[in-house]
Amino acid sequence: MKILIKNANIIDPINNLRGKHDLMIVNGKIEKIATEISVEEIIKEEYKIVDLEGKYLLPGLIDMHTHLREPGYEDKETIKSGCEAAAAGGFTTIACMPNTKPVADNAATVEYIKSKAENALVKVIPIGSITKKSEGKELAEIGFLKEAGVRALSDDGYPVMNSEIMRRAMEYSGSFDLPIISHCEDIDLVAEGVMNEGYNSTILGLKGIPAAAEEIMISRDIILAEFTGAQLHIAHISTKRGLDMLAEAKKKGVKVSAETTPHHLVLSDDAVKGYNPDTKVNPPLRSEEDIQALREGIKSGIIEVIATDHAPHTYEDKLGEYNYAAFGISGFETAISLLYSNLIAKDIISFEDLVLLMGKNPARILGLDYPGIKENAIADLIVFDDKNKWKLEKKNMKSKGKNTPFAGQEMQGKVILTIVDGKIVYNDMKGKGELCYG
């Protein structure tokens, strides 16, 4: 496919590129960037010409924390449907966690995921399990996982409670240049909690999860990372004190990074007041004070990544009483609009920050190339229309998981075009939300 993009408002902090430009895409790569490329320069029949007047063109984004559920839980999501949702959300590369069935603790399962992803709309990076079956008892065969192509290790959803096992995991991961992505949660302190412990949990009569359950494990893992020299990435950090620990560790030179999620940046535990099971997430939605701290964290660079923690579930998984509903939000298709409406449009972060938080930084942590928008670079791009007002309706979601607390909400700004390897894979320029195979 050859594409001539006209009048794109490019924002690319990787190459210090900003302003109106034209781009020519040929054979999957950006062949030419100029303030103007005349249509007379090309054979029009060979090119798809796209006029982006008034729209933003950004490098494609990376979501380094997602759950695609396949193999084993295809009723919740498949690699195909998850990648379709990711394309609609503006992600050109996603990393999938290993809590499948079987767990991705072996090369065969990793190869299966890679083979299923070959024809998917976006690029898929597998994450391998730290321990066999993610049971926290015995290390997985890390060398074979590395050979199979994993870019990080995590028992996400199942914290490694045994400190000796975590120490050894960090030591071995360093030998293979793989970061450890830690789900920080003391499961004994969590007990059977279902929401943030505080005023709202008391009023609602729901068992709370104390912030300390997360912070204790953040503290332990930072100490172990300093002890072993391992590269530690803290998943979905959600508390102010956890952030303080992260900042202090960075000052000391510990190799630690962290991510937070769009929903932890925009929703507090006040959202649980209606007992909507779609507000039940892990870690739970925290206090307004925590939200403000997280926002300061991404502004200051202490938090280097925003990831969706896309966690699709079936209707039945979220049915019934709050106590028994599954944890998780289906996050691909709302992330960028939420971040634009709540942060970028309010000058809390910029589009440049967004590209760093959801592009350059996750690429660095996972060891991926991220050339941005420049000539001869792979054409992984997205187009964002900040004037597009839309309403999220579950029936229109591409993900099989419709579990979102933002259903029915009016949003400002939308991803309207996603290009992967020079091919348009998602097109909403005319409001049809088309997925494009072939």
Side-chain angles (χ1 to χ4, degrees), residues 1 14 37 62 102 104 108 126 140 151 165 186 200 212 224 235 248 258 284 300 333 343 403 418:
M1 178 183 288
I14 314 302
I37 300 174
I62 298 172
R151 292 284 185 166
I165 297 287
D186 185 317
N200 281 325
L224 287 176
E248 185 63 28
S300 67
E333 294 164 81
L343 301 177
N403 46 300
T418 303

Side-chain angles (χ1 to χ4, degrees), residues 18-54:
R18 183 170 187 130
K20 186 179 284 190
H21 290 78
D22 295 348
L23 282 86
M24 190 184 291
I25 299 172
V26 178
N27 295 330
K29 292 186 175 181
I30 300 169
E31 185 167 282
K32 183 177 180 181
I33 303 172
T35 52
E36 183 174 4
I37 300 174
S38 171
V39 175
E40 282 68 36
E41 293 181 39
I42 64 171
I43 300 172
K44 283 192 282 188
E45 290 75 18
E46 294 182 355
Y47 282 78
K48 179 179 179 64
I49 301 174
V50 182
D51 190 341
L52 295 183
E53 183 70 46

Side-chain angles (χ1 to χ4, degrees), residues 11-14 58-65 90-95 125 233 259 303-308 336 339 349-373 380-382:
I11 298 180
D12 176 19
I14 314 302
L58 311 175
L61 301 179
I62 298 172
D63 191 343
M64 70 173 289
H65 187 152
F91 298 100
T92 53
T93 298
I94 58 176
I125 305 296
H233 180 77
E259 73 194 27
I303 297 175
E304 297 173 61
V305 174
I306 298 175
T308 66
I336 311 305
L339 294 171
I349 62 171
S350 64
F351 273 119
E352 284 85 351
D353 294 329
L354 182 77
V355 173
L356 298 179
L357 289 159
M358 304 187 85
K360 182 182 179 183
N361 293 343
R364 174 177 50 78
I365 292 166
L366 295 175
L368 304 173
D369 290 333
Y370 195 72
I373 301 174
D380 287 349
L381 307 164
I382 64 168

Side-chain angles (χ1 to χ4, degrees), residues 105-293:
D105 62 359
N106 59 86
T109 304
V110 173
E111 293 293 348
Y112 174 85
I113 292 169
K114 287 166 57 182
S115 68
K116 295 287 286 187
E118 283 182 355
N119 298 316
L121 290 183
V122 305
K123 300 167 187 174
V124 176
I125 305 296
I127 306 295
S129 185
I130 297 173
T131 64
K132 292 182 178 178
K133 298 182 180 179
S134 290
E135 291 179 338
K137 297 176 181 176
E138 184 180 358
L139 289 183
E141 294 175 329
I142 294 173
F144 290 126
L145 288 171
K146 171 76 174 185
E147 286 181 10
V150 305
R151 292 284 185 166
L153 301 168
S154 181
D155 279 5
D156 188 51
Y158 306 97
V160 180
M161 291 297 295
N162 185 312
S163 299
E164 169 65 8
I165 297 287
M166 193 56 146
R167 171 193 173 175
R168 299 303 175 195
M170 289 189 181
E171 289 174 342
Y172 281 109
S173 68
S175 303
F176 296 100
D177 197 24
L178 292 172
I180 293 281
I181 301 175
S182 181
H183 174 107
C184 292
E185 181 182 29
D186 185 317
I187 56 175
D188 295 316
L189 264 180
V190 170
E192 296 178 348
V194 294
M195 68 169 292
N196 184 47
E197 182 174 299
Y199 174 80
N200 281 325
S201 64
T202 302
I203 294 298
L204 296 171
L206 295 173
K207 185 168 175 53
I209 300 173
E214 181 175 337
E215 293 155 353
I216 285 170
M217 295 297 271
I218 290 173
S219 176
R220 183 204 70 172
D221 285 352
I222 286 173
I223 291 169
L224 287 176
E226 183 177 18
F227 181 49
T228 62
Q231 183 185 346
L232 170 67
H233 180 77
I234 298 169
H236 40 52
I237 194 168
S238 71
T239 77
K240 181 177 183 302
R241 183 186 286 180
L243 201 60
D244 292 340
M245 294 175 185
L246 176 66
E248 185 63 28
K250 282 174 170 278
K251 282 183 187 175
K252 293 173 67 176
V254 180
K255 291 190 287 186
V256 59
S257 57
E259 73 194 27
T260 191
T261 72
H263 49 272
H264 284 105
L265 288 165
V266 304
L267 287 182
S268 73
D269 59 0
D270 281 349
V272 185
K273 286 179 179 176
Y275 294 97
N276 178 358
D278 286 341
T279 63
K280 185 176 176 182
V281 290
N282 187 13
L285 301 174
R286 300 293 189 183
S287 68
E288 283 292 342
E289 182 183 16
D290 293 313
I291 289 178
Q292 295 309 316

Side-chain angles (χ1 to χ4, degrees), residues 262-264 266-268 270-272 275-281 285 308 311 318 322 327-332 334 338 392-394 397 401-411:
H263 49 272
H264 284 105
V266 304
L267 287 182
S268 73
D270 281 349
V272 185
Y275 294 97
N276 178 358
D278 286 341
T279 63
K280 185 176 176 182
V281 290
L285 301 174
T308 66
K318 285 287 193 179
Y322 201 91
F327 288 95
I329 283 176
S330 182
F332 281 142
T334 55
L338 286 172
L392 177 65
E393 296 186 25
K394 290 189 176 186
M397 294 175 69
K402 315 298 183 188
N403 46 300
T404 170
F406 304 108
Q409 184 170 316
E410 295 279 352
M411 298 200 187

Side-chain angles (χ1 to χ4, degrees), residues 55-90:
K55 315 292 192 299
Y56 292 100
L57 182 70
L58 311 175
L61 301 179
I62 298 172
D63 191 343
M64 70 173 289
H65 187 152
T66 80
H67 301 270
L68 295 182
R69 306 303 194 195
E70 186 179 6
Y73 302 103
E74 289 83 355
D75 53 337
K76 297 173 185 282
E77 192 79 287
T78 62
I79 291 171
K80 178 176 182 289
S81 65
C83 289
E84 290 174 348

